[in-house]
Amino acid sequence: MAMIERAQKQDVSEILSLQKLAYVSEAEIYNNYNIMPLKEDLATAEQSFEDNIVLKYVEEGRIVGSVRAYEKDGECFINKLMVHPEYRNRGIAQKLMEGIEKQFKGVTYKLFTGSRSTKNIALYEKLGYKGYKKEKLDVEDTVFLFMMK
């Protein structure tokens, strides 16, 4: 049975492997395989577990989805939403988003995604997010769409 639960430190390696697999499709959109999610190392991922609530979606005993978020000054910053390519289009990303939002009450939710990532944007809009700016970050060449709810 599939379930969403809080990820633990021992899950970091499996989630990082999933991330590197899941974000290849983003890299393909931009023809840039030097994006941050593909470059993240184990130490950085471990630190992320210290700074974020990390949820995992477990199906058939394996982690096939994950999302992270943290709160600061009344804003919840959602990041690293991912689903294994073989498990996409089954509602897992939506369930993860709903699950992470439940961890933070009475806040403004914020996230960003690649400005050409039409499937991601459509999902976030379906969940009530609205774009409020496009901007390139110093860490990579992608132009991101920043969204909030």
Side-chain angles (χ1 to χ4, degrees):
M1 180 171 159
M3 61 184 180
I4 294 176
E5 58 190 49
R6 185 116 179 225
Q8 304 300 317
K9 274 278 201 180
Q10 65 264 24
D11 297 319
V12 70
S13 181
E14 187 175 354
I15 289 174
L16 183 60
S17 294
L18 170 62
Q19 175 178 310
K20 291 186 183 288
L21 181 65
Y23 275 86
V24 167
S25 58
E26 285 297 295
E28 289 172 345
I29 291 171
Y30 301 94
N31 195 28
N32 178 2
Y33 294 85
N34 203 28
I35 62 175
M36 291 306 297
L38 296 181
K39 295 189 329 184
E40 187 171 24
D41 60 22
L42 189 58
T44 306
E46 287 173 344
Q47 182 60 47
S48 181
F49 270 64
E50 299 291 326
D51 302 335
N52 292 267
I53 290 178
V54 182
L55 299 182
K56 62 183 178 180
Y57 189 95
V58 180
E59 190 168 312
E60 300 168 358
R62 70 192 268 220
I63 299 172
V64 298
S66 182
V67 67
R68 306 173 196 176
Y70 67 93
E71 183 181 346
K72 182 178 179 185
D73 300 328
E75 295 180 324
C76 173
F77 297 91
I78 300 172
N79 61 92
K80 299 286 190 333
L81 175 64
M82 66 192 85
V83 176
H84 191 288
E86 293 174 10
Y87 289 80
R88 290 184 179 157
N89 302 311
R90 299 183 191 182
I92 294 171
Q94 181 172 337
K95 290 174 187 168
L96 283 164
M97 286 295 293
E98 291 166 352
I100 202 71
E101 288 178 0
K102 288 178 185 173
Q103 302 292 316
F104 302 91
K105 302 288 187 198
V107 297
T108 299
Y109 301 102
K110 291 189 170 184
L111 56 82
F112 62 88
T113 189
S115 62
R116 289 189 268 165
S117 302
T118 55
K119 285 186 177 184
N120 297 354
I121 294 166
L123 168 67
Y124 299 137
E125 287 176 341
K126 178 181 172 183
L127 295 172
Y129 287 79
K130 304 266 188 256
Y132 65 93
K133 73 176 177 178
K134 286 185 181 179
E135 185 174 283
K136 183 184 155 321
L137 301 177
D138 292 337
V139 294
E140 65 181 71
D141 291 332
T142 306
V143 174
F144 293 100
L145 173 63
F146 289 76
M147 304 182 82
M148 64 188 286
K149 170 167 116 169

